[in-house]
Amino acid sequence: MRNKCLFIFMISLVLLSGCMPNQSVEEVAIIQIAGYDLGEDERIRGTVSIPQYGKSEDKASATELYLTVDADSVKDVEKEIKKQSSSPISTGKLAVSLYSREMAEKGLSSIIDVLSRDPRLSRNMYLAVVEGEAGELIKSGYTQEETTSKNVQGLIETNNHHNFPTSSLHDFLYAYYGQGMNPFLPLLKKQETFVELSGIAFFKKGKMVSMIPDSKVFTFKMLKENFSAGMQDLPFREGSIMMDNIGSQVNYKMKGTMDNPSFEINISIKAEVNEMLGLDVTPNPQLANEMEKAFVDYFKKEANELIKMFKEKEIDPLGLGSFAKTRRRDFDLTKWEEHYPELDIDVKVDMEITEYGIFS
Amino acid sequence: MNKINNSQGLQIPEKYLVTPAYVFFLVNSMQVGVGILGFEKYLVEKAGFDAWVSILIAGGILHVVLWMIYRLLQKGGGDIVHIHKLVFGKYIGGFLSLLFCAYFTLLAFTVLITFIEVIKVWVFPGLQSWIFGFVLLLLVYYLVSGGFRVITGVCLISVLIGLPILLLKFFPVQAGHTMTIYPVLSHDITEILSASKQSVLSFLGLEFLLIYYPFIKNPKKSKKWAHFAVFYTTMIYLISLLVTFVYYSEEQLKQVVWGTISAWKIVEFPFIERFEFVGIAMWLYVVLPNICLGLWGATRIPKRVFNIKQKYLVIIFCIGFYIPLGFIEGRPVIDAINTFSGQAGFYIILYIPVLLALKIISDKVRKRHEK
């Protein structure tokens, strides 16, 4: 008898767990992209897109529903959207979060707090700053095959493997909370029929203070991390050449004491030249040397310009401060920040062009 | 008669004993529990990125404590109750043993509520503690009433299940910045030692040897396994700490409540987007022996002191765990209980050398009297 009771109890434990309230994917509004603009009276205008699954007969087409609300804070946006949606909202799959440039310049601190606090958000999601209205960018569907979120997510992800430095939510938070470094985000721009990555926005304490156009992004990535992709073109003699990076390595070295620090940034690049436009010569060792020299000069000039800009704006997206902190015992943040604008940073570039393609 | 178990004063039938190698699993699974999910924050608050030295120091201290425990048990024979009786007499000794019982109870209870909190924050915000607690305590009661050998089996399973989770450390390292771990010691010795104290708190668990020692067959041979276990635990903690150093920046880590679970968030497989849900579910198996062995130790002491049947004690303790479950809620309360049980554990660790000294003195006095 006792065993029977126990048996029934155990069986019901297993079976009754199926009686939990559940929601099927079709009935949940899954937000994958959200954009925030400045609204009227210090409020936030949030726009989200909700993909509609299983509604239309045509499987290839992606339909989306766009909702725009005015709210007081980020979490309030979620609340307001719930008021407009017929099905329960789920934010767990949020893949891209966009902010208008106006808003980024005013400061994103309140938003960053939500991003780091909410356990439901993925650390692999992307943040980006939009030139113009973030809501506009979300609302204009670009292709029939993809939703806007897939489009933008794919755009940032592919480019992170090429010219743009990696920038997920985790990377942003790492630099935002860390000492002696400042975060950056990709900059998006809406064109007539497509979205493009137009540069990088630099932040100081959650406020966007500066940006660089996409032509300088390669140099920034080269200074920031090791990578083996990306392309850079350069006018050379009467034409132009295109370089294909096959392995770039960067190394920081700190010299001197904390009172008088100096930095050395060593970059070594291996590259192929795949386009020689308007050049009427066959490749030879001497030409290679000339090309290498042209690139080295170009990168040095660009890098020094970037560093000069960082010093003027007192931002440290390269994380030199955090590097100094791990190398010197007597690191002092306020002292470091005082020294930073006059810091002596020497950029050395070493370049090797190995191949010229399959056609001479 | 029983030559295998040479501890005097307490004879456990051979069918209840476990082989010496299992001590590895008993010690290690008790040391790794909910603490490892969020210990990084407390260490970094004290000693910054130099806290890895503290872990090594704490590991060294624990080896010494372990040596003392073995010295105490080998000379004294039996368990902590027996030693207390020999050193302090029936009444004071009994009282001190009951303090140990209270400490073991507290430890098991802390693990229980902390794990329920983790589930609430990370997976099911609306989870009813009293329903989940009921089911979990039912399982714990079932395991504990199965006896010491069953608990040893649970410990073995927990160590084996914990192993693949260690492999996942690869993902945060991949996403992190290895440049930041560079051995520059910028904190002074007091800061590093205070972080060591903090890490001793998450290493607690080997003092359970004091109560299950008579259950080990051929206990002398188990010594090396216990030392292996402490070494292994130290390495697990060291690796976890270094991985979070790579993954987070220093100031960021100070604000992350559960460093290890947050680092699981970066793990992404094509078939599963949020690994932390799987990780937390698997962690139940790591936490389970903590509760079981804690409860077993807590009920074993009154059994030895008052000679009550352990079965009834287990039921009473389970009910005692269950009633406050619904009332304890919120980070501040649970954090306070964690800190309190950590402090208690620290004093227990401090108490062991004192007890050893007293034991040696009382042995000498007794010998002189016998002469």
Side-chain angles (χ1 to χ4, degrees), chain B residues 16 141-153 215 296 310:
Chain B
Y16 295 125
Y141 170 73
Y142 170 69
L143 292 172
V144 173
S145 59
F148 185 68
R149 283 188 137 187
V150 173
I151 296 173
T152 314
F215 284 82
W296 183 84
Q310 197 168 359

Side-chain angles (χ1 to χ4, degrees), chain A residues 124 166 168 170-171 174, chain B residues 169-178 246-247 266:
Chain A
N124 288 323
T166 46
S168 64
H170 174 72
D171 292 312
Y174 182 88
Chain B
K169 303 275 178 210
F170 170 71
F171 288 86
V173 171
Q174 204 184 25
H177 306 246
T178 37
V246 169
Y247 184 63
I266 202 85

Side-chain angles (χ1 to χ4, degrees), chain B residues 10-263:
Chain B
L10 184 67
Q11 296 292 322
I12 307 286
E14 200 183 340
K15 63 174 180 174
Y16 295 125
L17 301 182
V18 296
T19 45
Y22 280 110
V23 172
F24 178 85
F25 302 107
L26 282 165
V27 171
N28 176 254
S29 71
M30 200 59 212
Q31 282 188 303
V32 179
V34 283
I36 198 169
L37 297 176
F39 74 109
E40 300 93 346
K41 174 190 164 159
Y42 301 98
L43 296 198
V44 169
E45 270 174 2
K46 296 237 159 65
F49 271 16
D50 296 329
W52 59 274
V53 186
S54 314
I55 292 271
L56 291 180
I57 293 174
I61 292 172
L62 282 197
H63 275 291
V64 177
V65 171
L66 188 64
W67 176 82
M68 285 177 183
I69 289 176
Y70 265 92
R71 175 87 208 247
L72 199 62
L73 290 167
Q74 276 171 347
K75 293 268 160 157
D79 54 10
I80 184 83
V81 180
H82 185 71
I83 295 167
H84 273 150
K85 216 185 221 165
L86 280 182
V87 177
F88 297 104
K90 196 178 170 191
Y91 293 104
I92 301 174
F95 173 72
L96 287 172
S97 298
L98 287 181
L99 279 187
F100 265 81
C101 164
Y103 165 64
F104 289 162
T105 315
L106 182 67
L107 213 59
F109 186 67
T110 313
V111 172
L112 185 67
I113 55 166
T114 316
F115 190 65
I116 290 179
E117 192 210 359
V118 167
I119 297 178
K120 271 188 179 173
V121 173
W122 285 88
V123 194
F124 300 116
L127 182 83
Q128 300 285 337
S129 325
W130 56 275
I131 296 179
F132 181 76
F134 181 72
V135 179
L136 189 60
L137 281 173
L138 212 64
L139 178 64
V140 169
Y141 170 73
Y142 170 69
L143 292 172
V144 173
S145 59
F148 185 68
R149 283 188 137 187
V150 173
I151 296 173
T152 314
V154 178
C155 290
L156 171 70
I157 292 174
S158 111
V159 173
L160 293 183
I161 284 185
L163 271 177
I165 296 182
L166 276 181
L167 295 178
L168 298 167
K169 303 275 178 210
F170 170 71
F171 288 86
V173 171
Q174 204 184 25
H177 306 246
T178 37
M179 202 175 71
T180 50
I181 42 170
Y182 190 86
V184 171
L185 298 182
S186 53
H187 293 76
D188 56 28
I189 192 80
T190 48
E191 284 169 321
I192 286 178
L193 283 181
S194 86
S196 286
K197 184 194 160 194
Q198 193 70 46
S199 38
V200 167
L201 308 187
S202 32
F203 281 177
L204 291 174
L206 67 151
E207 59 279 5
F208 278 86
L209 257 176
L210 289 170
I211 189 75
Y212 63 68
Y213 186 80
F215 284 82
I216 305 164
K217 192 173 171 178
N218 219 340
K220 265 185 191 146
K221 277 192 181 157
S222 73
K223 197 172 172 178
K224 72 171 181 202
W225 291 107
H227 277 285
F228 280 155
V230 171
F231 180 73
Y232 180 58
T233 315
T234 315
M235 286 302 121
I236 290 181
Y237 273 88
L238 184 67
I239 291 169
S240 299
L241 192 72
L242 288 178
V243 167
T244 46
F245 284 1
V246 169
Y247 184 63
Y248 301 104
S249 51
E250 192 175 323
E251 300 304 308
Q252 186 186 12
L253 189 49
K254 283 180 191 169
Q255 303 189 21
V256 175
V257 184
W258 285 285
T260 299
I261 309 181
S262 287

Side-chain angles (χ1 to χ4, degrees), chain A residues 305-325:
Chain A
E305 266 174 29
L306 272 182
I307 288 167
K308 204 178 137 216
M309 189 269 280
F310 294 156
K311 282 181 187 167
E312 268 167 24
K313 303 276 180 192
E314 294 185 359
I315 50 175
D316 189 2
L318 296 177
L320 295 179
S322 92
F323 183 83
K325 191 181 171 182

Side-chain angles (χ1 to χ4, degrees), chain A residues 92 119-122 170 174 177, chain B residues 184 247 249 251 265 273-274:
Chain A
R120 263 150 280 282
L121 297 179
S122 166
H170 174 72
Y174 182 88
Y177 288 112
Chain B
V184 171
Y247 184 63
S249 51
E251 300 304 308
K265 278 182 89 70
E273 193 148 332
R274 288 302 149 70

